[in-house]
Every structure is written in C-alpha cells, then in structure tokens.
C-alpha cells in the first residue's frame, strides 16, 4: 500500500477556531473536508501537511437551504447530498444532474462541494457549472467574511484567492428564473472530464429569442472560462443564434486557450467546444432539466 | 491552541458489532481493517479511488477505504464483505448470485464489487440495467468483462424481492 | 486429432460452479497481500528518476539510522549473490548495479518495521546520478550513435521456451531477432492481382492485474521460501536457485490465490529483490508494490509493423511480408519469446504460400516489456486482420466471404513444420457471422466486422502431477498450475471426477507450492486445461491401474479378471468402490494411492504447437462523427476450444479477453513523454468499465473435440483478445470510411481521420469543379 505520511488531526469547534488553526500552522496545515482530492495528493507525496484541520467538526456547514432567490449549499455538503437533495432537484435540477455525474459513487459519497472548489482541480465538474450559474463563494477568515464570485476564487490550477486562514463556508447559487434555461454537458475519456460545458440562457416570453447568455467551458484550461464576446453572440433570435454558435464557440475556445495534454490536443478541445456548445444550446432549449 | 490528535480513539460499529480501538490519524480505514482488525476481505488496488476494490460501506454509503481515514469512521456503522454471510452460513443473495452467474474470476475485485452492489440494492431494490451500470461504473473488474456481474446484480435483486415478499 | 471422442460426460463439459466461489465471495480467499509471517518486516523501493544514468554514489546512512529501519539494500550490497537473472537472457539485476536503464528502476530498498516507516525513510537515501543519453523507441535504439543499454555479454537463460538463438548482448541494442520465410515473396508480389501495404502501431499496454505484485521472502540457512503472486512458481524457483546458488530442493515458492495475471505475473518479477531484502535483513520481508509501481515493472511490447499482403485474381491470398520492430524496454524478460511468437502469428490462421516475416526487438530506456495475454499476437493481428479487410475492400469482396475462402482448413499443414491446423475456422466464422447479424441492414454511422486469430500456442509440454486417491474415496490433485482466476481449481477436479467416477465435491486441489506439488513449467499460454488437464487425466487413470492391481490382491483373483466400472471395480458378483479397494488393501480405514503422470514433448505432444489457439470475434460499432467517440453496439465471441471442460468458464475467458482487447482498441495505451511514463496511474490509464460494456453480448463456443487435450480440449482465453483492435479498426472503416492503423482508436484519432477524409474529399471536389 501507499502509506500517508504522519500528521495530526485538529477538530475546530467553529469557523473562527478553524481560521486560527490554519493561520497558526501556515504552510504546514491544510483544511480537510471530504479528503477525496487532498488525501490522494498526499498519498502520492504531491502535497505534505503535518496538520489537517477537519472542517466537518464545525457545525452548520453541511446544510442545503433555499434563501430568497438563491440556494445556499454549505461547504461540507457532499456531492451525493446535492445529487439526492429534493430541494436541489426541485429548484435547481441542473445542479443535481451535474453532481450525479461527478467521478464515481464513492467519491460522491465523501467529496464535498467546498473541498472541490478549494482544491481547484482544473477538471472540476462543479466549478464549470457554478461559474455559468453566477454562483458566489462565502468565505470566512480571522478578519471576517467576504463573498467571491467563482472567477474570483478560482485563480489557477490548484490555486484559489483564499487567504491562508480563510474557509469556504457556503456556495450561494442564484436560482434560475422562469425565463432561464440551463444545461451542463461533459465529454470524458479518462477519469476526469476532457471538456465540460455549462450554459445558462434567458429566453423571452415567446421562447424564440435569447435575451441573455452565459456559456462556460471547463477542464480545458487552468480555470473554467467564459467570454463576454462569446456570450454576446449567443443573444438574439434563436435561428440567428444557431447560425452564430460556431463563432461563439470559437471565441469561447480562444478565451480558454486550451493546451495539449493527455486529454487531447488544443485543436481537438477547440473543436469539442463547438460540438458541446451546440449540444448544450439544443438541450437547454429542449425543456430538459434546467 | 490545542494540540492535534496523533492517536485517534476510535469507536464504531463494524458489521453490527462494536469496536473500540486506537489508530493513528493518518491510517486509512483499509489499513485499520486489514492490519489491525485482521479483516483481509477488503482488497486494495489502484489507491486513486478509481477501481473500487477497497469499497466498504460507511453508514450504508460506499467509500474507498484505501483513501478514507479510519478517523472518519468515528461513531459510524462500517460494513465489510465479512459481515454479509449469516451466522448459519447462508450467503447474502448477492454473494450467491456472484457464484451462480460466474461473476468473478480472480476474485480480487469481488468483495468491493459486492459491497458496491449492496449499497445500490439497499437504496434501489429493483434497479434497471442502466442504473446498475451508472452505480457500478466506479468498480473495475479486469477478468469478467462485466457481463456476468450485471446479471448477478439483477439476479440478486430478483431473489431479494422474493425474500422480502415472504 | 484426438483419438477419443466421448460424449456421455458426467462431470466434464458441464458448467459446474467455481470451486473457489464461496471463499472469493466471502472475502476469505487468501492472496499474498493477506499473509503475515511472524517477525515479518516491510520493504519499500527507491526508484530511479532518470531513464539512463550512471550511479555515481549511494549514501544510505541517514535512511538506515532512522528509528524502525532494519536495513537499506542497494546494488552495492549484493556480494555473495548472483544478482543477474532472466529465464531467457540473464540481463536483469535485482537492483540497479552501477547504472539505471529506465525511469522507475529499483535502486534501493528500505526494510523497516512497517510500510510507513520504510516509505518515510526512502527520501533519506542520497543517490548521485550522472545522466546518460537515452533511447525510447526502436528507431532511436537502432541509430548509429545510440547509447548502449547493456555493455556486457549475457549468459543465455536456460528456460527461454524456444529453440532459436538468443541474440541479445552482442554489442548493439538488439534484444532478439527472428525471421520466418517460405515460398518466394518477391515473385508473388510481382504476380499479384492486388496488394495492400501499410504501417501499423500497436501501443504499450498495461495488464492491470488488480492485485499488484507482492511477495514475502524468508531466507535462512534452511533455504529460501517465497510466497508470491507469481504465475509460474517453478520458473521463479529456477531464477532464485541461481541467484542464491542453492539446490532446487532448498528453494520453495508458494503461490496462494492470484489476483489476476494476464501474462503480467509470468516469470520472475520482484521475488529476487524481496529475497535479497530478507537475506540482508535476516528476517522475513514483505514487499507489496503499488499499482503505480506495478506499472513501472512490466508492460506489453509495443510494435511498429510494416506489412504487405497480396491476392491473386481468384481472391486467394498468395503472399504476406512484414517487418516488425518491437520495443522491449530495458530488460529482455520474456520478450525473446514474444518476438518469436509475434513473427509466427503474422501469418494469421491463413494458408499463405509465400511468406517473409522479419522481427527485431530493441532494448530502450523504458519499462521492461514481457508477456501479455496473447503473447505478441495482438500486436501483429492489428496489421494482419486490418489487411484482410483492406484487401477485401480493394478487390470488392465481402471481408467475411474473403476470410472464409482463405482461412486454414482443419488438418491443413499451413505452417511449415508445425502441427497441422486443429480448428474449424469456417464454422467459427459462420457462428460469428450469424450472431453478429452480418447481412442485416445497419443504421448510418454503424459498422460491423468479424475477425479471427489463430496462434501457435506457447504452451511447452513439460508437466507432471500427482492424483492422490484417499481411503474414503476422496481425491487430492497436486498441481503446479496456479489459480489465477481462469478456473484451474474447478476444471482439474472436473477431469479427475470424470475419470475416477467420484463426485466433483470430493476432489480437492493443492496447487503451486514447489516443495509439495510436482513440477509444472508454467501457468500461461492457455496451457493448463490441455497440458495439466491431460496430466490429471493420465494420473487418474494411472491411479486406477494401481487400484485394479490392489483389487486383484484384495479379491485374490488375477488382474485380468478385474473390470473397471465407474467409481470402482467389478469381478463377477463382487463390486468394490475405490474406498473399499484401498481400505481392504491396507486393512485399515486409511492410506492412499498416488497416481502420477509426466508429460513431455513426445507422443501426441511431440509436435508443436500442442494446439492452435483459434477464435473469432465480431463487433458492431457506432461512431459519433462529431467527437470521434466509438460506441460498442454489439460484441460476439466464438472460442474454438475443442471441448469446454466447463463451458461457463471457457466463455468467461473469452469475454474477459475480448474486453481487454476492446480496451486496447479504444483507449488503453501507456504514454511516454521524453523519459517519463506520464499516465502511470489508473487515474490516467483508462481501463474498460461497466459503461463501456457493449450494448449486446453473445458468447459462443465451437466444440469439435479436435484438440490434443483431455477429451479433445484445447486452450482458450487469449485468442479473443488478439483480433479486437483490428476488428474495431475494420468496423470503424465500414462505419465511416476511415482506415486507422494505430491502436487505440481514441476519439481524437478517429476525429482526425474523419477530418483528414473531409479535407481529401473537398480537394477532390474542388479538382472536379
């Protein structure tokens, strides 16, 4: 077996204490939630920590609640809980459907949404969708609380804007309005997505025109990527937008600027961006899960 | 600041029986089961949460025990392959179905495969073929080509449905 | 041909549930990883980060003085041992000595009180390397200025398994060369009505036996005892005896259940290293590799093949020529045999009058390649069976009909000096065609293919066994064949039960303990049913002969007066079962009779191969033309097994092999970037999963009792793998009109081919305009 190096486990009673611990241990410590990514990296000696701070001992971070017009998902809520939550399934089915597609049943049972975002693995399923949905992360440190948009918190591969003492306490996701349609699709060859594509469209009352669009391509660059220019091409009468999908995809792919890696060449990923933007567009407007 | 734990006082239910022991913070559930509790039925293979050989159930949910800290089992119910056979020697319908359908060859994936299937049938007693494939997709078998495993899960579901009607 | 065509079987030819069923579904089946010896220590291995480097110095002091560490062993500590091993070529040091030849090669090992302590000590070993120029492909290895991997001459291994010369160690990077030739190829190609020619690449594949390599060694003045996950304990014993310079009787290999082999656990792997650790640490030592380390231990040879095939005006294949370069990695392991086999297997199961195949394997600074299910056959069946379809298309023939017209016929001497063909490919192909619905209409974007393979089984006939009949009529088979999952613990008792007329449940198996079980060369090359099965059959009959003599003694009659009946003997009115014969003979309710048999290359086994392993697979695929993703709509396997001792097990071998072949056809491939294996983890090396299961699967067996094994049985379990990559390539061509000559056919490769085709079409279109 591949043993983990020795460490100490800490059990903070509240967020403030967790923040203190993280500040105290600095680079020797790390927040620990589901552990699905962190323990893997530690097992492979890619990361080393002498102290893990178990955020799951902090009460109240494992709740899913609807507040006003948004869904609040606590940092330690597991993918499985999202997948099976009646609330999420009813109010934001695209989120539940995305969660159902993450890795495998064991990872979903232990992996958490907060952990997934904070680990900032470039092939994260949730990150792509959450950026399209305009979700925000609530983070808390010793100096108080702040809210970061997804593109603010995810700054690079395995890199977030969180300060050393900050903890992601919840993700707030605006619920889709009646006029909004959403789709999340991915293309996967290996264990993680080669490409993921999330799309949120606002349609007018007739259903024949798109008034606002937000397309995100994930897994092909260090962080999920969107482009105002691409989104602009997705607005207008449906038949016109359909003709512009290829252009929108090209703009989006240019913004993402994918590289060559084991998942495929940059050229292939650019091509797939087009394929999946078109498929997501069709699915979003088909009335299938929002 | 309080010191962290190097040693974890671990109390949990293992196959329906209480366990009280100490382990080190970094020990995985697979290490504790295999090295301390002499339960070798749980196998360890890929160690990247892909193959599912090490699947055990914690509060009914399948986890990769190779990368799941034993620390996490505090106060929970852990079920392993060793707990499925009844004291009178009767096999669980899944175990019997795996034999009847030749759903294993080398047997190394089998304990994890059966535990993953158990989690499915406990939650969804009559899964469709598509549901079986979706749920079991994170368990790898290198010998059988999966065909007989799907058949075994379907057979076991049928047997369990009949048993529950009795 | 088998002399004996029996049909009224009691036990054989029935799908009896597996003997190891209950222990495996309850988690009680012991594998080496589950075993502990008293006082056992644990080892972890330090591996080279460089592909090719001189080891300047190793300082182990800091690591060795850590708490809980018993010792550190390096290539400098092996004095007193013969540290180079190899059954074909003795080129492999048990730890790097003086230099490293691939990134991932073991350089040192720490032995400590537990795995964690050993692992944590590794980073305190200080190794200084001086990097050398490295080669990673056959082309680079052949270059004039290529650095030499192995400078010294090698002692040839004693058990290489083939009759040709070993060509390694002659001052080049060539590991092994082989060539077959008959007819006049040049002349035939001149006369040909049509020719196809192409270059093909078959990738490095990883077998992923789910149980990684593991061994426990205990070296004392009593000898060397090793518990190992080895497929071939007697082969490993041979290497260890030579390393430790001991008589055979002082080396003991014990193999409990093995968690998958597929060739990857054949021959010696980590056993010499673990034994050396125990030798230095003076206590039992366990070493269990991780899967990632296992991926740095063995792989399949990747192969670059140029091939051309010719047909005459009547549609008869008249010639085939090929040049193959195989990449065998840093050490020879079993690759010399793989080279010979892949050379032979280029001919396919076709009767071709003019043949020239040249094959050369090269040492490179990559993970050593060795046996992999199919032994070089899959590597050359990709080109071979692709060209059958390419040629059929070229002359406007249905590829299925084209195969029917050209496959070797039963009894045909289609390969000079080899055993005449002992299968019925026409029936196999017809069965596959019917099952796949060859003539049925297809939706757009779908394609079908049927392909076959026939390989000269690598099973070398050297096998012995003992069948012990106990006084209560129960039976113990002593066999050197290892239960890898293939079902030897079920099939062998079926044969003994059939012969001795005792219930299957009363026949037990003791296997793979070299101190106890009689010699069997190996467990691989689909040999066990044919060779060990024959041995068990003969030993059972020999036991019966002994018991006839005993019965005569007991009944005080002449031996000739004793008549054998099922489960015992009769003499006039008197009837005795085996239990009664033995108990009366010894006058005690105990004692036993030991039936023996020794199989060698003589009699019905005198001509090689002992059988031709033949099978067909059929596939229907659909292609997502936008992404290039292939979906398996249907899979059919047809195993030409002579007689299935246990049909369910035989079919299980076929579907398992076909699924591995499908993996290579679709996505399995080890990828090197520069000196490093970059997808050396199951996160990145994609294996077939539940969701890859073809939507429909049909398994068929053709049973004409035409093998030399028991009741006409032949080996199976490899052949369904061999044709799969070609089959997928052919089906994709028929679905969307692109010919891909490289496996795996990843979505991107298919997409690129489609794009290229579109580009060509638009050029043609423009030209026409």
């Amino acid at each position: 077996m591949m043993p983990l190096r020795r460490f100490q486990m800490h059990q903070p009673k509240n967020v403030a204490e967790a923040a203190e611990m993280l500040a105290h241990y600095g680079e020797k410590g790390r927040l620990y939630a589901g552990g699905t990514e962190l323990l893997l990296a530690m097992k492979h000696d890619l990361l080393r920590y002498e102290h893990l701070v178990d955020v799951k001992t902090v009460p109240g971070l494992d709740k899913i609640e609807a507040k006003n017009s948004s869904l609040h998902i606590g940092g330690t809520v597991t993918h499985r809980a999202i997948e099976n939550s009646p609330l999420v399934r009813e109010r934001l089915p695209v989120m539940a459907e995305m969660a159902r597609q993450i890795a495998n049943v064991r990872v979903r049972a232990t992996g958490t949404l907060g952990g997934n975002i904070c680990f900032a693995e470039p092939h994260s399923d949730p990150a792509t969708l959450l950026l399209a949905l305009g979700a925000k992360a609530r983070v808390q440190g010793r100096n108080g609380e702040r809210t970061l948009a997804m593109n603010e918190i995810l700054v690079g591969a395995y890199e977030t804007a969180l300060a050393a003492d900050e903890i992601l306490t919840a993700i707030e996701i605006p619920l889709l309005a009646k006029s909004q349609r959403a789709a999340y699709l991915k293309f996967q060859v290996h264990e993680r997505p080669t490409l993921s594509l999330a799309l949120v469209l606002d349609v007018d009352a007739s259903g024949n025109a798109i008034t606002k669009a937000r397309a995100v391509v994930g897994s092909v660059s260090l962080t999920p990527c969107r482009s105002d220019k691409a989104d602009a091409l997705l607005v207008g009468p449906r038949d016109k937008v359909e003709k512009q999908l290829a252009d929108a995809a090209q703009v989006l792919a240019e913004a993402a600027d994918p590289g060559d890696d084991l998942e495929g060449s940059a050229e292939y990923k650019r091509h797939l961006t087009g394929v999946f933007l078109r498929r997501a567009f069709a699915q979003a407007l088909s009335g299938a899960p929002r | 600041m309080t010191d962290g734990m190097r040693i974890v006082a671990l109390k949990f239910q293992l196959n329906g029986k209480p366990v009280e022991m100490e382990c080190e913070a970094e020990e995985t559930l697979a290490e504790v089961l295999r090295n301390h509790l002499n339960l070798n039925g749980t196998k360890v293979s890929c160690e990247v949460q892909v193959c599912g050989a090490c699947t055990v159930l914690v509060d009914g949910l399948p986890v990769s025990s190779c990368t799941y800290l034993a620390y996490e089992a505090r106060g929970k119910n852990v079920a392993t392959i060793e707990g499925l056979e009844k004291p009178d020697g009767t096999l669980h319908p899944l175990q019997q179905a795996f034999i009847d359908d030749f759903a294993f060859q080398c047997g190394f994936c089998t304990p994890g495969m059966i535990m993953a299937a158990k989690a499915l049938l406990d939650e969804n007693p009559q899964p469709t073929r598509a549901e079986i494939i979706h749920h079991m997709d994170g368990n790898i078998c290198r010998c059988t080509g999966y065909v007989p495993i799907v058949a075994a899960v379907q057979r076991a579901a049928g047997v369990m449905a009949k048993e529950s009607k009795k | 041909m088998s002399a004996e065509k029996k049909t009224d079987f009691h036990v054989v030819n029935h799908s009896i549930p597996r003997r190891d069923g209950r222990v495996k579904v309850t988690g009680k089946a012991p594998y080496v990883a589950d075993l502990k010896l008293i006082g056992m220590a644990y080892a972890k291995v330090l591996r080279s980060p460089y592909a090719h480097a001189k080891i300047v110095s190793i300082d182990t002091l800091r690591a060795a003085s850590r708490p809980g560490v018993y010792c550190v062993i390096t290539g400098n500590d092996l004095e007193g041992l013969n540290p180079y091993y190899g059954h074909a070529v003795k080129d492999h040091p048990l730890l790097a000595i003086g230099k490293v030849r691939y990134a991932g090669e073991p350089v040192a090992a720490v032995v400590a009180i537990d795995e964690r302590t050993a692992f944590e000590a590794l980073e305190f070993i200080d190794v200084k390397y001086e990097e050398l120029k490295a080669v990673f492909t056959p082309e680079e290895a052949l270059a004039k200025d290529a650095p030499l991997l192995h400078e010294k001459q090698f002692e040839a291994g004693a058990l290489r398994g083939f009759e040709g010369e070993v060509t390694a160690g002659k001052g080049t990077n060539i590991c092994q060369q082989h060539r077959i030739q008959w007819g006049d190829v040049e002349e035939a190609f001149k006369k040909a009505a049509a020719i196809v020619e192409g270059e093909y690449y078959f990738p490095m594949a990883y077998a992923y036996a789910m149980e990684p390599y593991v061994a426990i060694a205990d070296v004392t003045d009593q000898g060397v005892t090793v518990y190992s996950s080895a497929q071939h304990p007697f082969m490993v014993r041979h290497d260890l005896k030579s390393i430790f310079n001991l008589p055979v009787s002082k080396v003991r290999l014990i193999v409990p259940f093995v968690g998958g082999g597929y060739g990857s656990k054949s021959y010696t792997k980590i056993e010499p290293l673990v034994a050396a650790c125990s030798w230095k640490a003076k206590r039992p030592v366990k070493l269990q590799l991780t899967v990632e380390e296992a991926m740095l231990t063995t792989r399949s040879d990747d192969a670059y093949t140029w091939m051309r095939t010719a047909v005459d005006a009547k549609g008869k294949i008249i010639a085939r020529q090929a040049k193959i370069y195989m990449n065998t990695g840093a050490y020879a392991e079993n690759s010399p045999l793989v080279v010979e086999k892949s050379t032979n297997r280029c001919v396919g199961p076709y009767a071709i009058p003019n043949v020239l195949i040249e094959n050369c394997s090269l040492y490179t600074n990559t993970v050593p390649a060795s046996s992999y299910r199919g032994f070089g056959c899959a590597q050359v069946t990709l080109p071979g069976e692709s060209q059958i379809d390419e040629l059929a298309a070229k002359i406007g023939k249905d590829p299925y009909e084209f195969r029917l017209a050209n496959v070797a016929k039963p009894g045909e001497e289609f390969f000079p000096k080899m055993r005449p063909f002992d299968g019925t490919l026409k029936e196999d192909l017809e069965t596959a065609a019917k099952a796949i619905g060859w003539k049925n209409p297809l939706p757009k974007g779908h394609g079908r293919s049927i392909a076959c393979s026939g390989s000269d089984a690598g099973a070398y006939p050297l096998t012995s066994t003992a069948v012990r009949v106990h006084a209560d009529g129960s039976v113990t088979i002593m066999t050197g064949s290892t239960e890898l999952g293939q079902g030897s613990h079920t099939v062998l008792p079926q044969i003994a039960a059939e012969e001795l007329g005792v219930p299957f449940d009363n026949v037990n198996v003791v296997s793979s303990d070299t101190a106890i079980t009689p010699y069997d060369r190996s467990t691989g090359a689909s040999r066990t049913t044919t060779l060990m099965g024959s041995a068990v059959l003969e030993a059972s009959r020999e036991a019966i002969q002994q018991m006839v003599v005993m019965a005569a003694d007991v009944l005080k009659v002449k031996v000739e007066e004793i008549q054998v009946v099922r489960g015992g003997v009769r003499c006039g009115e008197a009837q005795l079962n085996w239990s009664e014969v033995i108990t009366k003979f010894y006058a005690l309710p105990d004692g036993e009779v030991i039936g023996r048999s020794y199989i060698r290359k003589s009699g019905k086994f005198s001509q090689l191969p002992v059988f031709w392993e033949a099978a067909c697979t059929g596939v229907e695929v659909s292609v997502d033309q936008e992404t290039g993703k292939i979906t398996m709509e249907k899979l059919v396997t047809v195993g030409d097994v002579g007689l299935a001792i246990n049909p369910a097990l035989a079919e299980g071998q076929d579907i398992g092999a076909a699924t591995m072949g499908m993996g290579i056809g679709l996505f399995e491939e080890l990828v090197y970037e520069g000196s490093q294996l970059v997808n050396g983890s199951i996160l990145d090396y994609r294996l077939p999963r539940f969701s890859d299961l073809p939507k429909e699967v049909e398994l068929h067996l053709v049973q004409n009792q035409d093998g030399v094994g028991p009741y006409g049985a032949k080996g199976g379990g490899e052949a369904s793998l061999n044709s799969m990559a070609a089959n997928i390539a052919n089906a994709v061509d028929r679905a969307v009109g692109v010919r891909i000559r490289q496996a795996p056919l990843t979505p991107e490769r298919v997409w690129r081919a489609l794009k290229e085709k579109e580009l060509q079409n638009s050029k043609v279109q423009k030209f026409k305009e």
Side-chain angles (χ1 to χ4, degrees), chain C residues 500-562:
Chain C
L500 290 161
V502 299
F504 171 76
D505 288 343
N506 283 3
V507 185
N508 198 17
V509 183
V510 170
S511 66
S512 296
D513 179 338
T514 62
I516 295 171
T517 56
Y519 185 92
D520 184 21
R521 184 190 176 276
S522 52
T523 304
S526 310
R527 66 185 274 123
T528 297
T529 296
T530 305
L531 294 175
M532 185 53 78
S534 294
V536 167
L537 181 145
E538 285 176 19
S540 301
R541 290 182 183 175
E542 206 247 357
I544 290 173
Q545 288 314 308
Q546 293 182 48
M547 290 189 288
V548 164
V549 174
M550 292 160 113
D553 182 276
V554 165
L555 295 171
K556 304 196 170 18
V557 298
K558 285 185 184 149
V559 170
E560 299 79 59
E561 291 173 54
I562 301 286

Side-chain angles (χ1 to χ4, degrees), chain A residues 1 4 7 14 17 31 69-70 77 89 96 120 130 132 152 160 196 203 218 223 240 244 252 261 263 284:
Chain A
M1 269 188 255
L4 283 161
F7 57 76
N14 50 52
E17 195 184 349
L31 202 70
S69 57
S70 62
V77 172
R89 283 180 164 197
L130 290 175
E152 291 167 340
T160 66
S196 45
V203 294
T223 61
K240 178 174 166 242
Q244 291 174 177
L252 185 58
D261 59 18
E263 298 290 345

Side-chain angles (χ1 to χ4, degrees), chain C residues 305-321:
Chain C
T305 304
W306 166 84
M307 184 182 275
R308 61 174 178 161
T309 309
V311 70
D312 68 12
K314 290 179 197 150
K316 178 85 186 104
I317 300 171
I318 53 166
R320 176 167 277 178
Q321 183 179 4

